[in-house]
Amino acid sequence: MMTDTAVTPGGTSTPAKRRWHPARFGPLVVLAVLIALPYWSIEIPGVFDTAINKPGTLQLLALCLVFGALATGYDLLFGRTGLLSFGHALYFAAGVYGTDVLITKAGYPLWQAVLFAVVGTATIAAALGAVALRTNGIAFAMVTLAFAQVGAITIGRDPGGVTGGEEGLPMDTAKVPDALVGVTNTVNLYWLAVGVAVITVLVVHAIADAPAGRVLAAIRDDERRVGVLGLDPYRYKLFAFTVAGGLAGLAGAMYALLIGGATPHVAVSDQTLTLLVMVVLGGPGTRWGPLIGGMLFTYLDYRLVSFGRSDAVDSLPGVLSGPLSQPLFVLGTVFILAVYFFPGGLAGLRTRLGPLARWIPDRR
Amino acid sequence: MSTVVLLTLTGLGLAALYFLVASGLALVFGLADVLNFAHGLFLSVGAYGTWWASGNLPGAGASGWGFVLAVIFGVVCGTVVAALVELVLIRPLYSRTIEQVLVTVGLSLAGVALLQASWGADPRTYPRPQWTQELTEVAGARVPNDRFLLIGAAVIVLAGLLAFLKFTRIGLVIRAGVEDRSMVTALGIDVRRAFTLVFAIGGAAAALAGALGGVYAGSISPTGGSSLLIFGFIVVVIGGMGSVVGAAYAAVAVGLLQQFVNYTSPGLGDICVVALLAIVLLIRPQGITGKVATS
Amino acid sequence: MTAILDISDLSVKVGGSHILQGVTFSVQPQGVTALLGRNGVGKTTTLKAVLGLMPRAAEITGRVGYAGASITRQPTFRLVRQGLGYVPEDRGVFAGLTVAENLRLAERAGSTPDYDTVHGLFPELRKRARQRAGTLSGGQQQMLAIGRVLLNPNRLLLIDEPTKGLAPKVVTEVAAALEAVAAVVPMLLVEQNLAVVRRMARHAVVIANGRVAYTGGASDLLDYTEKTKALLGVGKGEH
Ligand SMILES: Nc1ncnc2c1ncn2[C@@H]1O[C@H](COP(=O)(O)OP(=O)(O)OP(=O)(O)O)[C@@H](O)[C@H]1O
Ligand SMILES: [Mg+2]
């Protein structure tokens, strides 16, 4: 793996080179573009249906950002700690329903509801993680999956009429600030989603760059050696699990606002599976891979629906047009191919595309 | 009393479904270390195969021997799909466990979408032979016959699997491989050949679960496999990850617990099952039996 | 005399630690070659690397020749079928299977299993055929592990610490059996018990710090207590 700091024979890195590396500024430029996007009214035919600053497109972009953030938080477990959790949908759903229920049923103001939902989600993650992390590897995967299933069942059963069962629970917009309600205010939700993505990325990168992040990476590479060093892997894993849970709760809160409520499908196990697909497509354990993977997946998932309804697909024979109209069929297939041919995900492509590599930030 | 009998037999029927799903999962996991998310797909293939055959296959139908033929067709479909999945997708990634799991995840997503594309997302009415809907009186309780069908099928599969593992050469290789795969290769045995067989067996059992589960539920849908799969996973973990007999015990425990608790309070049974899983893991991280195929 | 096994420049790296760094030696087609070294020096790793049994994560470089042909990257089962018998450290018997099943597992299509030899060397295995291998004593498990390999014709045996953790009387028993086997089949033997090495081995290879530190006659090494001490630490099992 290449590093973005040149290492001299003496073993010290050369800061001069680091300062001018485009990777340092690239993210800031992208962020500036994302913030400024609503002020542009360009049309990109074939990519977006409407001009970029129209509510429909902003809504899609915001959704992409939410799932990019969710995937980034999930990668703290999968790519950076090596924990294969199949239950992350639970914490996302806890954020979605927590926020929605606190606003709609308990009448909390938005900010309080979000705060409680995020803290509550992190608490649930800590409690369930404390049990699940007593197991390892595949057993851990199954246990997290089982816990998430309880969440999905509970939401579906509508205990005390709180979750709305199969129907879901539309958010009572009367208690949400006016600036965040209505189609005309989609742009504000979009900016909020940018904020959620930024917070998530900052938290994950801060942890990855901190000493704790190196311990997590060591756990991923060889857990026994961490134990030999006198550190308790369990506590570090629980920390990662709790933080990832809290971040999923935050993404969930944003999702609830964006969609204007909650629907039970956010809790189903396929939700976690798609998260895994996002991270693997983007590049697990890389700085930006999960964010890009999550955004791209969401975009394609949405666009492939209209692609599937397009004339081009309809005119194909039935054997082809049927499957192609199912986004998950296309994405699942792409995913399988990616596992075979691009094990490092999108972020791993750079090693294959030599000269372009400099422009994509480094794997940590 | 009659309620208890009815609940017990219904719980055992459910346990039978869980066992059919879990036995294959346990063997695949025990031997090949693959957590197979595509297992739910094999189940759906069995269900849709049977459903399709009962309407379209000459000689097959919705009742009597025609239905048996339809089920056989569904099971064959599930078996073939499972064997193909192993040969084409799993085998090239031999011993790369995480990649194998990822591939089965992709497969489960794509497979369900493919079923949806072919037959729609909505549930389809499933053929239920008349006999399965009739009631039999047991100790004062009137029990639908499909319960007995499920229990009988699971018992036959369990006995067949155990005999296969105990008395055949390849069964011996599988039992040894579940214990220590690399030692089997160090005796000059190509253990990968057993993988395909184990996938095929698991696929057949799952397809049977799909075919009979349709009779029990009355309808099938593309996503129907995934919720059964989750309980299958739970049964595998409680049963000791790789043990067929452990899976059978665990299936009975899970099925009965779920049925009885759900009777007193709907939905609570499912949650109790997960609580049981958590308790078992806290007490014995290895599950109730060790990693030995037939213990 | 051409060597039966030829290891050259074998390096093994696992998770950042270089276990072997260019090990080169060969095994003669007659008699016992002892592979010696302190605990954790990489003796087991050498055998596993030859057989292709190291975990995927291990980076392995170098060449291994067996009976004149390169066997680098061949799957384990194929090597074993070519007559490379392996008795692992800690025996590797299948605890859940019976003694008879453990033996039956080793039977191969196309060759008649030589139960006469096995039962002749270890009569205990016949008596305990229906016992589960997990309930055997350590010595009996070792006999089972060796017996399993002797069912088939071998051109070279790789045996890893066959006397580890056994009572002195059992050590003698196992060593006697191995001596009888070694009269027929060449052997690469990892062994900590230097009395056993002295009795059986003709040649010796010592690994230290990831490299070969000594090759030559076994008695040449063991006769010089100082050399032995320097290379192997305290001479365990020496009287
Ligand atoms: N899979 C592995 N991962 C990490 N380290 C390993 C692995 N296998 C072996 N090692 C390390 O490699 C070194 C050599 O191990 P090996 O078992 O080959 O030693 P040995 O010479 O056989 O020791 P002993 O005499 O105790 O049997 C040890 O330090 C061990 O910890
Ligand atoms: Mg050793």
Side-chain angles (χ1 to χ4, degrees):
Chain A
M1 195 49 56
M2 286 182 285
T3 50
D4 62 350
T5 51
V7 177
T8 60
T12 51
S13 58
T14 48
K17 187 144 192 218
R18 174 168 258 264
R19 205 180 300 146
W20 293 110
H21 197 284
R24 306 278 301 164
F25 288 113
L28 287 179
V29 173
V30 172
L31 178 61
V33 170
L34 280 176
I35 292 174
L37 222 49
Y39 297 107
W40 278 326
S41 61
I42 31 165
E43 301 233 13
I44 315 178
V47 179
F48 295 112
D49 285 334
T50 61
I52 229 162
N53 62 349
K54 287 283 181 299
T57 299
L58 285 177
Q59 168 98 4
L60 173 59
L61 284 172
L63 214 54
C64 291
L65 284 163
V66 167
F67 282 106
L70 186 61
T72 304
Y74 179 68
D75 191 51
L76 187 61
L77 297 179
F78 179 66
R80 293 183 187 274
T81 317
L83 287 172
L84 183 54
S85 161
F86 275 108
H88 212 58
L90 176 61
Y91 310 105
F92 181 61
V96 174
Y97 274 92
T99 308
D100 193 9
V101 170
L102 286 174
I103 291 174
T104 309
K105 297 281 175 180
Y108 279 60
L110 174 68
W111 306 115
Q112 243 172 326
V114 171
L115 186 69
F116 285 157
V118 171
V119 172
T121 305
T123 312
I124 296 173
L128 296 183
V131 176
L133 286 167
R134 288 170 152 267
T135 60
N136 264 322
I138 298 297
F140 173 77
M142 295 200 198
V143 174
T144 48
L145 179 72
F147 284 161
Q149 183 66 7
V150 169
I153 292 169
T154 309
I155 287 171
R157 304 278 158 139
D158 196 12
V162 163
T163 67
E166 295 299 323
E167 308 292 307
L169 182 66
M171 193 178 285
D172 181 359
T173 46
K175 308 203 180 75
V176 178
D178 288 342
L180 296 176
V181 178
V183 176
T184 46
N185 286 321
T186 304
V187 61
N188 295 332
L189 287 170
Y190 166 79
W191 277 321
L192 217 51
V194 173
V196 166
V198 168
I199 291 172
T200 306
V201 164
L202 286 179
V203 169
V204 171
H205 286 187
I207 292 175
D209 295 341
R214 280 188 279 284
V215 178
L216 295 182
I219 290 174
R220 173 192 63 199
D221 295 337
D222 187 354
E223 182 164 342
R224 277 171 310 165
R225 289 214 301 188
V226 176
V228 171
L229 292 176
L231 298 166
D232 184 4
Y234 178 81
R235 290 173 56 186
Y236 283 90
K237 289 193 283 186
L238 187 56
F239 167 72
F241 200 82
T242 308
V243 173
L247 290 175
L250 181 66
M254 185 63 229
Y255 182 82
L257 272 177
L258 197 59
I259 298 300
T263 50
H265 83 270
V266 297
V268 302
S269 58
D270 278 5
Q271 195 63 244
T272 308
L273 300 191
T274 53
L275 263 184
L276 195 59
V277 174
M278 293 172 188
V279 169
V280 171
L281 282 181
T286 59
R287 254 179 132 62
W288 304 103
L291 181 73
I292 296 168
M295 293 183 69
L296 197 66
F297 182 97
T298 311
Y299 171 78
L300 288 176
D301 191 17
Y302 178 86
R303 289 299 297 184
L304 284 174
V305 174
S306 46
F307 167 69
R309 295 208 190 97
S310 70
D311 298 341
V313 169
D314 264 355
S315 62
L316 292 170
V319 244
L320 279 178
S321 72
L324 284 180
S325 64
Q326 294 284 338
L328 276 182
F329 175 77
V330 178
L331 287 167
T333 309
V334 168
F335 175 65
I336 293 173
L337 294 176
V339 171
Y340 275 98
F341 300 111
F342 303 103
L346 291 174
L349 279 179
R350 70 197 203 100
T351 44
R352 291 154 201 272
L353 306 176
L356 286 175
R358 289 183 300 116
W359 298 94
I360 304 174
D362 190 53
R363 178 195 169 106
R364 279 293 151 103
Chain B
M1 177 60 203
S2 66
T3 319
V4 172
V5 171
L6 180 62
L7 284 176
T8 305
L9 285 170
T10 307
L12 287 176
L14 205 56
L17 274 184
Y18 292 159
F19 171 75
L20 289 177
V21 175
S23 55
L25 276 177
L27 277 182
V28 166
F29 180 75
L31 182 66
D33 287 339
V34 179
L35 177 64
N36 184 13
F37 274 88
H39 207 70
L41 178 65
F42 305 159
L43 187 144
S44 299
V45 167
Y48 274 89
T50 308
W51 168 78
W52 181 87
S54 74
N56 298 297
L57 191 73
S63 63
W65 289 109
F67 185 72
V68 173
L69 183 63
V71 170
I72 290 172
F73 179 81
V75 170
V76 168
C77 288
T79 313
V80 169
V81 169
L84 282 179
V85 163
E86 199 282 329
L87 282 172
V88 177
L89 292 171
I90 305 292
R91 177 166 292 197
L93 298 171
Y94 178 66
S95 88
R96 281 153 62 178
T97 316
I98 293 290
E99 275 100 329
Q100 287 175 330
V101 174
L102 295 180
V103 163
T104 66
V105 164
L107 204 60
S108 77
L109 294 176
V112 167
L114 194 61
L115 286 176
Q116 255 171 43
S118 310
W119 289 299
D122 297 328
R124 296 279 180 162
T125 316
Y126 196 80
R128 296 164 121 173
Q130 183 60 37
W131 173 81
T132 62
Q133 300 310 302
E134 287 162 9
L135 303 173
T136 300
E137 206 162 302
V138 181
R142 296 164 59 76
V143 184
N145 284 337
D146 53 11
R147 277 34 166 200
F148 301 111
L149 178 66
L150 286 170
I151 297 168
V155 168
I156 291 170
V157 168
L158 173 61
L161 267 181
L162 290 182
F164 165 76
L165 287 171
K166 184 126 186 71
F167 298 118
T168 65
R169 160 95 194 159
I170 188 96
L172 180 63
V173 171
I174 292 170
R175 275 189 293 153
V178 168
E179 258 191 65
D180 183 348
R181 203 169 67 205
S182 71
M183 197 54 227
V184 173
T185 64
L187 289 178
I189 297 163
D190 183 5
V191 78
R192 285 173 303 177
R193 283 171 54 188
F195 284 17
T196 320
L197 188 67
V198 162
F199 260 82
I201 293 173
L208 184 62
L212 300 183
V215 174
Y216 178 72
S219 68
I220 51 171
S221 68
T223 53
S226 70
S227 74
L228 255 180
L229 180 67
I230 290 173
F231 284 103
F233 279 145
I234 294 175
V235 165
V236 170
V237 178
I238 296 181
M241 318 274 282
S243 158
V244 172
V245 175
Y249 287 133
V252 170
V254 167
L256 289 178
L257 178 69
Q258 195 175 19
Q259 200 60 37
F260 275 92
V261 179
N262 271 347
Y263 175 73
T264 52
S265 160
L268 194 63
D270 304 24
I271 294 167
C272 280
V273 167
V274 176
L276 175 69
L277 171 74
I279 292 166
V280 166
L281 282 169
L282 287 176
I283 300 170
R284 270 200 70 172
Q286 296 307 312
I288 54 177
T289 60
K291 202 186 169 196
V292 176
T294 53
S295 77
Chain C
M1 211 160 47
T2 55
I4 178 85
L5 187 72
D6 216 335
I7 298 173
S8 71
D9 207 20
L10 180 67
S11 295
V12 176
K13 202 172 140 185
V14 185
S17 65
H18 282 276
I19 302 172
L20 300 179
Q21 310 172 22
V23 165
T24 303
F25 70 90
S26 52
V27 179
Q28 298 310 313
Q30 260 111 48
V32 175
T33 303
L35 181 60
L36 308 173
R38 295 172 190 239
N39 282 114
V41 82
K43 305 179 294 291
T44 300
T45 303
T46 307
L47 297 192
K48 286 192 170 176
V50 166
L51 283 160
L53 280 173
M54 285 302 284
R56 269 188 61 84
E59 292 168 43
I60 302 173
T61 57
R63 287 178 307 283
V64 181
Y66 167 64
S70 167
I71 57 166
T72 321
R73 303 215 178 284
Q74 283 217 38
T76 307
F77 74 91
R78 219 163 261 151
L79 298 178
V80 176
R81 283 186 197 169
Q82 289 167 33
L84 206 52
Y86 176 51
V87 181
E89 194 174 4
D90 302 320
R91 297 136 200 168
V93 300
F94 297 99
L97 309 188
T98 64
V99 170
E101 284 174 333
N102 266 280
L103 291 170
R104 186 141 45 84
L105 192 64
E107 290 176 10
R108 244 168 254 164
S111 80
T112 335
D114 188 0
Y115 276 101
D116 292 346
T117 302
V118 174
H119 285 145
L121 276 173
F122 307 115
E124 199 79 357
L125 295 184
R126 194 204 299 268
K127 268 194 287 182
R128 297 180 180 277
R130 304 174 68 126
Q131 190 174 336
R132 291 224 316 187
T135 61
L136 293 174
S137 74
Q140 291 159 350
Q141 289 193 6
Q142 190 64 58
M143 293 172 193
L144 178 56
I146 297 170
R148 217 166 44 174
V149 166
L150 296 180
L151 276 184
N152 298 294
N154 294 290
R155 297 169 74 183
L156 173 66
L157 291 174
L158 308 176
I159 302 189
D160 199 348
E161 302 209 26
T163 65
K164 188 178 168 186
L166 302 184
K169 190 174 152 285
V170 189
V171 170
T172 322
E173 226 175 302
V174 169
L178 285 178
E179 235 180 325
V181 174
V184 193
V185 190
M187 202 180 275
L188 178 61
L189 176 72
V190 177
E191 181 56 71
Q192 302 268 17
N193 186 327
L194 293 186
V196 173
V197 174
R198 187 184 283 281
R199 194 169 125 192
M200 294 183 58
R202 198 181 300 175
H203 317 279
V205 176
V206 180
I207 298 182
N209 298 323
R211 291 197 175 79
V212 172
Y214 174 90
T215 45
S219 49
D220 294 345
L221 173 72
L222 297 179
D223 284 346
Y224 293 97
T225 337
E226 254 144 64
K227 209 187 216 168
T228 315
K229 259 195 186 151
L231 289 174
L232 303 176
V234 186
K236 260 195 269 173
E238 275 283 81
H239 311 292

